[in-house]
Amino acid sequence: AQTVTQSQPEMSVQEAETVTLSCTYDTSESDYYLFWYKQPPSRQMILVIRQEAYKQQNATENRFSVNFQKAAKSFSLKISDSQLGDAAMYFCAYRSPGANSKLTFGKGITLSVRP
Amino acid sequence: NAGVTQTPKFQVLKTGQSMTLQCAQDMNHEYMSWYRQDPGMGLRLIHYSVGAGITDQGEVPNGYNVSRSTTEDFPLRLLSAAPSQTSVYFCASSYLRTGNRGYGYTFGSGTRLTVV
């Protein structure tokens, strides 16, 4: 079974600075999908960024980018120019390409942003 | 607005009571699922469905029941509520067709359930 590990339960960043959230996963598959979700205090789950394993180019969405290292099974999220609204819990997630195609989540990391 | 509609948002139950959490999506997603979120545990899969009439168990299915009679609806039933089922519950849906799985899941707004 696939596992997703987020080893840092909490992180803090100064407003306008850059922060990187780490995620590793375990799989024997070669084709899969990876996601970062943001959960603000409102509880809503918001898709931040996605990466398809067969694409070597790292995904980017405005201030959010990933460092996808397939051989190392690492998928970190970089937030540039951090804003107060970035404060939230962030979940890394893995989706297999198979017929059941379940989404497996890490335990999450709580990011705080200091003004 | 298109999306996943989940009700209720909050619920308090007494031990032993039963209830149904409702979930409906209007995006014609084949795949629907229920997760529970507990502090320090992330989101854990309870049950999922890959289409009408097809359901299967996830990681933590005990004490929960599901059915999928239509593509749009996927209710979650708590048969006899226990304090261990106090949690936040999320319904999520997605495409399942090859080539569309990379779009990820769309989540409902969650239900905070407290069992006393």
Side-chain angles (χ1 to χ4, degrees):
Chain A
Q2 290 80 18
T3 57
V4 178
T5 302
Q6 295 178 255
S7 57
Q8 307 152 303
E10 297 179 350
M11 287 195 74
S12 180
V13 63
Q14 190 76 34
E15 193 176 6
E17 296 294 309
T18 296
V19 64
T20 299
L21 310 183
S22 301
C23 173
T24 59
Y25 57 94
D26 185 26
T27 183
S28 58
E29 297 168 338
S30 60
D31 190 20
Y32 47 85
Y33 309 94
L34 297 165
F35 305 90
W36 278 97
Y37 280 88
K38 172 185 178 181
Q39 187 181 42
S42 67
R43 201 170 66 200
Q44 184 66 46
M45 294 288 287
I46 303 165
L47 178 62
V48 174
I49 198 165
R50 54 175 165 248
Q51 176 81 40
E52 295 163 328
Y54 69 87
K55 291 185 177 179
Q56 292 187 338
Q57 186 174 6
N58 290 325
T60 300
E61 290 286 344
N62 301 314
R63 297 183 296 108
F64 298 87
S65 62
V66 299
N67 184 5
F68 173 48
Q69 300 290 327
K70 190 172 184 178
K73 297 179 184 176
S74 171
F75 183 60
S76 59
L77 175 69
K78 185 172 80 171
I79 306 174
S80 304
D81 186 26
S82 296
Q83 301 175 359
L84 295 177
D86 294 334
M89 179 163 280
Y90 287 82
F91 292 96
C92 178
Y94 167 100
R95 186 175 195 184
S96 66
N100 292 335
S101 198
K102 292 175 280 187
L103 197 61
T104 302
F105 287 87
K107 293 185 178 182
I109 178 170
T110 300
L111 177 67
S112 58
V113 181
R114 305 185 302 275
Chain B
N1 291 334
V4 178
T5 302
Q6 189 179 334
T7 57
K9 294 191 185 305
F10 300 94
Q11 184 71 49
V12 178
L13 287 179
K14 294 183 179 179
T15 297
Q17 286 185 319
S18 62
M19 78 160 295
T20 299
L21 305 184
Q22 301 292 343
C23 177
Q25 54 91 10
D26 58 2
M27 298 168 285
N28 207 27
H29 284 168
E30 303 95 337
Y31 187 94
M32 297 187 75
S33 55
W34 279 99
Y35 286 84
R36 60 176 289 171
Q37 181 181 11
D38 302 291
M41 302 294 290
L43 280 79
R44 294 181 292 169
L45 182 64
I46 304 172
H47 285 286
Y48 66 97
S49 168
V50 298
I54 305 170
T55 64
D56 205 349
Q57 297 180 349
E59 183 184 354
V60 288
N62 292 340
Y64 307 95
N65 206 354
V66 292
S67 61
R68 183 127 180 242
S69 56
T70 67
T71 301
E72 295 78 19
D73 299 298
F74 191 48
L76 177 72
R77 298 181 188 85
L78 279 70
L79 308 173
S80 177
S84 61
Q85 294 178 305
T86 293
S87 187
V88 176
Y89 292 85
F90 286 97
C91 178
S93 71
S94 79
Y95 291 114
L96 194 56
R97 293 186 295 271
T98 302
N100 289 339
R101 293 171 190 161
Y103 290 104
Y105 285 20
T106 301
F107 283 82
S109 56
T111 298
R112 180 173 293 279
L113 174 68
T114 303
V115 183
V116 298

